[in-house]
């Protein structure tokens, strides 16, 4: 990377002088070389930053993922948490395909100059976004999706099985390339040019995909899954695919921070009762890191802990001192109170009942103040973490898909996630001692997948993808007092794509049966939820 910076500096200096025609010719030749040499590195840096930010934005702020998975309830609308939002098709998927086009531009430039490691890294990022899109919709444009410059502006929708097969093949090839290449990986803001970390990323992403598609492939991928489990993977938080936020501007700050959202987005959402209660019941030490107590508890509670710095937002709304008896089912006398789920009570949550303002509620818990900082050591733009890999392998071992000790993987997943959130080692050991992996198969799978759900807090998209497959945790589901529609298994195809790529979209819908939020896509076609 240093030599490219030097070339750029020389070019700038030379351009500042008045020179002969021959000298200008040499300048142009140098400019062409410099642009060619530096572009692949810059494009890789750009892809990393944009994809990490997009992925984290979706993971924490997209209500269609997070409200439905009960990480929070919205104070401003109930459409996502009551499943209504899923009946409507999104306008487009332009943001996602723009990210894919960016990676393809980086691949094209890197291939032109033989930067094979950069090509491999860009392809891994590309696989991440293609997998994300396919997991949402099912069949999507894939093999012809990025051929617009060649005039292919109406790409076919590939079948999800073919997409998964192609992506996993690409990940294998990228890992092989990175393991054998000798060129430097310049512009790598994610792992600092460490190719082994990229190999870990590729293999871990493949493990996620193999677990998710294991039943859809009819159990034919067992040997591939075992090989991936034995390979280099993200097995330590030091290898997490995550970027720290700088917090100096909106585009490099945490999603709920003042620089990006004005600090208001977090206050529009409250932790749900099932999420918070499960943390309380199991004495999970992450409770104190993630959740703040209610500012004005519902009943006789020692208020001495109520300090302004518990919350990210200085409350200024006049609240009623008590609530009506209509809310008698709620936990009076509790310091930590989650937002209720039932439709009958949601009006209280989003601002039309006693004790609530338009976007706030003194009587309910909020998130802690770290979530409204622009930068914090605990806040990352995350694409993949060690705990997810460990829980994948714990499930695989418990189901007999791979060899290995499910309990060891289970404890590793809990430990890695708690360490990632700054929990002290003594508290981790206490929790592990009180919450060992149960002996029975169903109980063990329930424990593994429930802990995985908790660990995916701030990664709501991955949590939703997993719940569709497993039905765990049981706190998420079709509560008749809560939901207005059946639990959604996909998003409908974007209206822009249906209107402008009609023939190919219709072919995909014909394979699916109908373009509804409850249609069963290939990846969950053979799954049987645990519950």
């Amino acid at each position: 990377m240093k030599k490219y910076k030097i070339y750029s500096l020389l070019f700038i200096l030379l351009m500042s002088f008045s020179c002969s025609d021959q000298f200008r010719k040499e300048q142009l030749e140098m400019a062409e070389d410099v642009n060619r040499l530096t572009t692949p590195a810059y494009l890789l840096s750009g892809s990393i930053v944009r994809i990490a930010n997009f992925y984290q934005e979706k993971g924490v702020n997209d209500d269609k993922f997070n409200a439905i998975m009960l990480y929070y309830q919205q104070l401003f609308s109930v459409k996502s948490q009551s499943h209504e939002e899923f009946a409507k098709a999104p306008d487009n998927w332009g943001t996602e395909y723009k990210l894919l086009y960016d990676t393809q531009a980086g691949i094209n430039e890197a291939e032109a100059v033989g930067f094979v490691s950069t090509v491999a890294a860009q392809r891994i990022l590309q696989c991440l976004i293609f997998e994300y899109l396919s997991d949402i919709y099912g069949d999507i444009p894939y093999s012809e999706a990025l051929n617009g410059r060649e005039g292919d502006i109406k790409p076919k929708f590939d079948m999800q099985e073919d997409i998964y097969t192609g992506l996993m093949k690409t990940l294998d090839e990228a890992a092989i390339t990175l393991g054998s290449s000798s060129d430097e990986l310049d512009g790598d803001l994610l792992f600092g040019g460490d190719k082994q970390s990229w190999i870990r990323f590729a293999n871990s992403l493949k493990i996620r995909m193999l677990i998710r598609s294991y039943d859809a492939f009819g159990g034919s991928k067992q040997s591939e899954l075992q090989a991936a489990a034995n390979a280099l993977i993200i097995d330590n938080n030091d290898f997490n695919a995550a970027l720290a936020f700088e917090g100096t501007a909106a585009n490099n700050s945490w999603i709920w921070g003042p620089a990006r959202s004005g600090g208001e987005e977090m206050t529009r959402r409250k932790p749900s009762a099932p999420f918070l209660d499960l943390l309380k019941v199991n004495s999970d030490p992450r409770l104190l890191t993630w959740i703040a107590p209610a500012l004005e508890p519902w009943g006789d509670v020692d208020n001495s802990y109520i300090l302004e710095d518990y919350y990210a937002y200085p409350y200024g709304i006049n609240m009623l001192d008590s609530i009506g008896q209509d809310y008698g089912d709620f936990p009076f006398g509790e310091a930590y109170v989650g937002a209720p789920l039932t439709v009958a009570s949601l009006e209280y949550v989003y601002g039309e009942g006693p004790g609530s303002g338009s976007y706030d509620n003194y009587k309910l818990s909020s998130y802690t103040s770290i979530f409204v900082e622009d930068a914090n050591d605990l806040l990352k733009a995350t694409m993949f973490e060690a705990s997810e890999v460990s829980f994948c392998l714990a499930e695989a071992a418990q189901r007999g898909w791979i060899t290995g000790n499910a309990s060891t993987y289970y404890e590793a997943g809990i430990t890695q996630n708690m360490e990632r959130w700054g929990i002290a080692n003594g508290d981790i050991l206490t929790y592990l001692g009180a919450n060992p992996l149960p002996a029975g198969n169903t109980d063990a799978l329930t424990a593994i997948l429930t802990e995985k759900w908790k660990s995916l807090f701030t990664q709501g998209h991955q949590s939703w993808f997993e719940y569709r497959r497993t039905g765990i945790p049981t706190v998420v589901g079709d509560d008749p007092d809560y939901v207005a529609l059946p639990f959604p298994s996909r998003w409908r195809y974007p209206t822009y794509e249906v209107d402008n790529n009609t023939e190919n979209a219709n072919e995909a819908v014909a394979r699916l049966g109908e373009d509804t939020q409850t249609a069963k896509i290939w990846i969950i076609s053979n799954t049987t939820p645990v519950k």
Side-chain angles (χ1 to χ4, degrees), residues 402-421:
I402 63 170
T403 60
N405 188 295
S407 180
T408 299
Y409 287 127
Y410 166 80
E411 292 186 2
I414 293 172
T415 300
Q416 289 157 352
N417 191 253
M418 289 190 177
E419 287 178 344
R420 174 256 182 277
W421 286 103

Side-chain angles (χ1 to χ4, degrees), residues 64 90 272 348 379 460:
K64 287 178 74 172
S272 76
Y348 175 78
L379 304 177

Side-chain angles (χ1 to χ4, degrees), residues 53 128 132 134 236 316 479 486:
N53 268 287
L128 183 75
Y132 166 83
S134 184
N236 185 292
D479 183 342

